[in-house]
Amino acid sequence: MNLVIRRMLVLAVLSCGLLGAAALQQRDPQGRGAGAGAWMKVPVDTRAQADPVAPSARQQRESYWDALIGAPTPLAGEQATRLVIAPGGNLADSPEFIRIPDSVWVIGKFEGYRTFLSSSGRSIYTEMNIRVEHVFGNRSGATLRQNSVIDVGRPGGTVVTASGKTISDHVYPRQFDIEPGHTYLLLLQYHRTVDMYTEGPRRWDLTSGVVVPDSDDGRYRAEHGRSEITGLKIPELIQVLNRKLSNY
C-alpha cells in the first residue's frame, strides 16, 4: 500500500477511535466524562522513564509519529495543545464489528504507559502497555500470545523535558477514554514497520465483568438495541466473539 495512502488511513482510524470519544464533558448528564483521559494530563518525566525499546526501534517510532502528527517546529510552552485530526462522521449506524487493515480484536488489561517527546521535539506520543488475555480475528500478521504485553500507541500526552519544561500535546476533554487498570475489548491495528499497535474505532470496558460501551457510538447502539454484546458477561462475550470472528 502506498505510504501516503496508508498514513491517511491511519489518521482516519485514529480520528474515529480517539475523536469519537472526545465529546465535551457536559454532553454526559451522568458525569461519565469528568475524569476520562485525565491520566494524559499527568506530566511524565522523560529523564526518569525507562525505555525497554531498542534505540533503533525507538527512532523508527519517533519518525512514524513525526510524519503522522508532527508540528512544523518543536513544541514549546507549558500547554501546547493542538487538535490536528479532523473528527470523522457519526459511526453509530455502522456495524458493531468492522474490518480495518492489519487488525486484531483483543481482550486485555491496560497495565501502564510511557510517554515520549520525539528527538525532533515535534511530536508527543504515548505507548500504552496492554496485557493480552484473549485474541480474536487476528488479521494483523503478528503473533499474539495470552499474557503477553503489547505496545498500543496514540498521539499526545504530557511530558517534563530534559530542561524541566512541561509540554502537552493532543490533550483535550473526553467523554470516554481508556483508563489505566481497566480491562477492555479493543479493536487494534498493527504497524509492522514499527512493531506497534494503534487503537481502532471500537472499545468496550469489561472491568466490571459485564460488557459496557466505552464510546459515543457504542453507547448509542446499546441505547437503541443495536448492540449484540452490551450487557453480556465475559464468558458469554468470548463465546460470541469466537463465533463471529472465527472467519473474520
Side-chain angles (χ1 to χ4, degrees), residues 40-234:
M40 293 279 288
K41 304 174 186 177
V42 178
V44 174
D45 191 340
T46 57
R47 298 165 295 186
Q49 178 175 247
D51 185 5
V53 175
S56 59
R58 177 57 57 203
Q59 186 176 16
Q60 289 179 319
R61 292 185 184 184
E62 288 187 354
S63 297
Y64 172 89
W65 288 111
D66 276 351
L68 195 66
I69 62 165
T73 58
L75 300 169
E78 294 186 356
Q79 191 68 25
T81 301
R82 302 174 303 118
L83 190 59
V84 300
I85 307 174
N90 189 340
L91 300 176
D93 292 323
S94 64
E96 190 163 42
F97 294 93
I98 60 173
R99 289 187 178 185
I100 59 176
D102 306 314
S103 62
V104 60
W105 295 81
V106 167
I107 292 178
K109 185 175 182 179
F110 181 8
E111 291 193 338
Y113 63 94
R114 296 177 294 273
T115 303
F116 299 91
L117 174 67
S118 66
S119 55
S120 70
R122 297 192 300 113
S123 64
I124 294 176
Y125 62 98
T126 294
E127 293 175 355
M128 300 176 290
N129 312 131
I130 305 296
R131 184 169 297 278
V132 175
E133 298 180 4
H134 299 277
V135 179
F136 310 91
N138 189 355
R139 301 173 67 243
S140 68
T143 300
L144 283 174
R145 295 183 175 86
Q146 189 175 22
N147 208 40
S148 62
V149 177
I150 59 175
D151 291 335
V152 178
R154 60 156 46 183
T158 304
V159 298
V160 178
T161 68
S163 64
K165 182 180 294 184
T166 298
I167 305 176
S168 293
D169 194 38
H170 283 81
V171 176
Y172 43 83
R174 300 170 188 257
Q175 183 178 9
F176 299 93
D177 201 9
I178 188 168
E179 297 293 334
H182 285 220
T183 298
Y184 295 92
L185 170 62
L186 302 166
L187 172 60
L188 303 176
Q189 185 175 33
Y190 183 60
H191 305 274
R192 181 174 298 278
T193 57
V194 288
D195 189 26
M196 179 187 69
Y197 298 81
T198 54
E199 300 167 86
R202 294 291 185 273
R203 184 178 67 237
W204 292 263
D205 194 326
L206 312 181
T207 309
S208 67
V210 174
V211 179
V212 177
D214 197 46
S215 63
D216 232 2
D217 58 290
R219 187 171 66 175
Y220 176 92
R221 286 191 202 89
E223 291 174 346
H224 290 79
R226 299 181 184 179
S227 173
E228 294 183 62
I229 62 174
T230 296
L232 295 181
K233 295 181 179 179
I234 293 178

Side-chain angles (χ1 to χ4, degrees), residues 8-44:
M8 292 175 64
L9 178 61
V10 172
L11 281 170
V13 171
L14 284 171
S15 70
C16 293
L18 295 177
L19 298 185
L24 294 178
Q25 293 177 15
Q26 63 262 30
R27 290 180 58 189
D28 187 352
Q30 296 180 353
R32 167 63 178 80
W39 60 274
M40 293 279 288
K41 304 174 186 177
V42 178
V44 174

